[in-house]
Amino acid sequence: MNTIASPGIVMNTATHTASPYPPGRSARPGRLGRPRRPRRDRPLGARRLAAAGTALALALVTAGSAVAGAPSAAAATPPVVAITQAPLSASLTAGSLGLSFEASDLALPAFTSGNLASYLKTLGSSTMRIGGNTVDETFWTSTGETPPSYSLATITPADLTALAGLAKASGWKVILGVDLKHDDPARAADEAAHALAALGSSLQAIEIGNEPDLYSQYSGNTAQYFTDFESYVAAITAAAPGVPIEGSDAAGSPTASWQSAFVSAEAAKSKPDIVELTNHYYPLKDCSSGDDPTIADLLGTSVRNAETTVADSAVTQAVKLGVPAVIDEGNSVVCEGMPGVSDVYASALWEIDEQLDFAREGVSGDYMHGTVLQCDTGKPLFMYYTPLCAPTAADATAGTEAAQPEYYGLAAVHAIGTGNFLSLSNPDWAAVRAYAVRHADGTMTVVLDNVQDPASNGASTLQLDLGANFGSGSRIDLTASGLTATSGITLGGQSVQANGTLPAPTATPVAVSGSTLTVSVPAGDAALITLT
């Protein structure tokens, strides 16, 4: 299912029409009140590139060596990426990236008893959101009631206890969705109370419903939605005092009339009910036979433009309430993803760019929706866009997950570290997405994500105007044999192990002395260059 927000922007939801299951935060510190900023990663038409003088010996920093030999003949002056050392208000935090899972996953013992905790720890310490379409198709009971006919899975206090174990083992917090579609505030409050008892400080927030703007009873009646939402808030607050609540978890655009009505209603209160303003976002769709998104679409400028617009819109709305903006469910292609696009190496390059673009625009969290089911078992149960899946049916039963290409994009973002984004100009942004992050220790990491297809493009050479003097550096690269690769992906020469760990990437030294650096980034490669 999807809602078209405006030309070039598709706001979507993951759709599940069947299930393999049997029947039966405190708020993260946000960057509040942030004014909307102009976009930086754009061609600057007024910028004059330095004219070529005599032949230059370009120090090419490559994935495999610190400095490669200079070209034998003079070449055109490379595009200049100019970095300003004054930090932006936006930061890359430990919670910027996150994961989202279906509520019905909690009914699978393997969800909490397998190796998922190790994969989470490899990505740092962040947030897992438990929601999705099945949040309204699972049945909560703390008294052993018989599940209703709509239930695909039954969740009990024992499942929440197991979830608490996963949270503790991984160091991740939990956003837990409760059923809104069947209008039972008391039952939702009971679940919230048990969640608080089981999870304690690991419970980041309760999410009321999933994509309520698509419910038939609310799609044309925002007033009724807000009335019911308030009933849930009152019941949950009474049963679990102090538990944070987030919303609205809409599928539609952050600036669509439905979400705008919710924001207006919350703004009219003396204090908003929510600690985060949430939306979903999938840039592409594969929901019918006529929808066939490609790798070129995913890595193209139209998707990138749409993502930046969505991020800016989400932040603008959240500022009205003084809360962070979070995209708590999303991925590459809605309706379980596109084989050959969502499940190949290209998705890792897209992942890096979207995560960094959203964070730089001020979005506090971008959570990738996925599955723990057996890999490649087909729609509508399996999601091709998932960061993780189980290689075999036996692995799925045991909870033995394996890293998919997209997971490597998340691992690369984690490897950047935390810090403030720096402003930069990038005339070559369509081919190489550039970001700069200054860390608390004064070092700076420059990310150069070359989204071009190596089958038809060579390396891109860029000159970095660093905005300050640096004396040394190191580099790690995310690489694969091509955009369609599903294996052989490495980050700093290392691959994710079967137990969910990732050995420390091997860095190569970068020779730098002064305020400029010329680098070469192969097509289909993401370079992370850290300078001291």
Side-chain angles (χ1 to χ4, degrees):
M1 302 174 70
N2 67 87
T3 301
I4 305 299
S6 62
I9 304 176
V10 183
M11 310 300 297
N12 300 308
T13 172
T15 302
H16 291 261
T17 58
S19 171
Y21 308 97
R25 85 196 141 120
S26 58
R28 181 172 60 250
R31 300 171 295 280
L32 308 184
R34 181 181 302 105
R36 188 172 177 177
R37 302 182 308 282
R39 298 171 67 181
R40 291 158 297 283
D41 200 0
R42 289 289 183 271
L44 302 181
R47 180 176 181 83
R48 299 181 59 189
L49 300 181
T54 58
L56 300 178
L58 303 180
L60 302 182
V61 184
T62 66
S65 62
V67 181
S72 58
T77 302
V80 176
V81 175
I83 301 169
T84 301
Q85 285 296 315
L88 301 171
S89 58
S91 299
L92 184 64
T93 71
S96 292
L97 65 83
L99 294 176
S100 171
F101 298 98
E102 289 292 323
S104 55
D105 287 344
L106 292 184
L108 298 173
F111 182 70
T112 52
S113 63
N115 62 4
L116 178 57
S118 181
Y119 282 100
L120 295 176
K121 288 180 68 175
T122 295
L123 299 180
S125 179
S126 187
T127 302
M128 55 178 140
R129 173 253 187 182
I130 310 298
N133 283 351
T134 59
V135 79
D136 298 312
E137 299 170 332
T138 56
F139 181 68
W140 161 261
T141 177
S142 59
T143 59
E145 300 160 275
T146 300
S149 59
Y150 68 79
S151 176
L152 301 176
T154 298
I155 307 302
T156 69
D159 297 315
L160 295 181
T161 299
L163 179 61
L166 175 63
K168 182 177 181 180
S170 63
W172 281 46
K173 292 186 179 294
V174 173
I175 296 171
L176 180 66
V178 296
D179 180 6
L180 171 65
K181 194 170 187 178
H182 297 97
D183 192 21
D184 193 342
R187 187 174 300 276
D190 184 58
E191 184 174 3
H194 279 83
L196 179 60
L199 289 155
S201 61
S202 295
L203 181 62
Q204 180 168 302
I206 293 293
E207 173 186 287
I208 300 174
N210 176 76
E211 300 175 349
D213 50 328
L214 301 183
Y215 294 4
S216 59
Q217 65 267 42
Y218 299 143
S219 60
N221 192 343
T222 55
Q224 184 61 53
Y225 164 71
F226 196 69
T227 296
D228 292 349
F229 180 83
E230 290 289 276
S231 295
Y232 269 68
V233 170
I236 291 170
T237 301
V243 169
I245 293 171
E246 66 172 31
S248 69
D249 212 52
S253 165
T255 54
S257 59
W258 200 94
Q259 182 79 324
S260 295
F262 174 75
V263 170
S264 295
E266 283 289 317
K269 297 174 65 69
S270 58
K271 180 183 178 181
D273 297 309
I274 61 173
V275 297
E276 295 177 337
L277 182 66
T278 55
N279 268 99
H280 296 179
Y281 183 65
Y282 296 76
L284 298 170
K285 63 188 180 76
D286 183 35
C287 302
S288 68
S289 59
D291 299 327
D292 295 303
T294 65
I295 289 175
D297 293 330
L298 183 63
L299 298 179
T301 57
S302 293
V303 161
R304 184 17 161 39
N305 287 342
E307 288 169 343
T308 305
T309 298
V310 164
D312 289 343
S313 299
V315 171
T316 297
Q317 290 281 55
V319 163
K320 297 175 184 178
L321 301 178
V323 300
V326 175
I327 306 299
D328 69 338
E329 179 189 316
N331 215 297
S332 56
V333 182
V334 76
C335 297
E336 290 79 46
M338 181 70 183
V341 176
S342 302
D343 56 355
V344 298
Y345 174 65
S347 68
L349 299 178
W350 166 80
E351 184 70 74
I352 294 170
D353 188 41
E354 190 198 65
Q355 289 284 338
L356 296 182
D357 186 38
F358 275 19
R360 191 175 64 181
E361 296 305 304
V363 172
S364 293
D366 183 19
Y367 305 158
M368 292 294 101
H369 200 52
T371 183
V372 292
L373 303 181
Q374 182 182 350
C375 304
D376 299 321
T377 47
K379 298 181 181 182
L381 304 180
F382 175 74
M383 304 168 188
Y384 289 100
Y385 52 58
T386 186
L388 298 165
C389 58
T392 68
D395 289 328
T397 300
T400 303
E401 304 300 314
Q404 301 307 294
E406 187 177 80
Y407 184 89
Y408 281 86
L410 294 169
V413 173
H414 174 60
I416 295 167
T418 62
N420 285 100
F421 284 97
L422 301 175
S423 180
L424 58 78
S425 64
N426 177 18
D428 198 33
W429 77 275
V432 182
R433 312 285 160 76
Y435 300 88
V437 175
R438 189 168 71 189
H439 308 293
D441 62 1
T443 61
M444 176 178 69
T445 297
V446 179
V447 180
L448 301 174
D449 186 9
N450 192 334
V451 297
Q452 298 180 101
D453 188 348
S456 54
N457 294 276
S460 291
T461 299
L462 299 169
Q463 178 179 309
L464 306 182
D465 281 1
L466 303 173
N469 291 324
F470 293 87
S472 62
S474 62
R475 170 174 172 168
I476 63 173
D477 286 67
L478 182 69
T479 63
S481 60
L483 296 184
T484 59
T486 57
S487 61
I489 303 168
T490 61
L491 178 62
Q494 303 291 345
S495 297
V496 180
Q497 302 300 294
N499 64 1
T501 62
L502 176 63
T506 301
T508 56
V510 170
V512 57
S513 179
S515 61
T516 62
L517 178 67
T518 301
V519 300
S520 177
V521 184
D525 179 291
L528 281 57
I529 304 169
T530 299
L531 303 170
T532 301

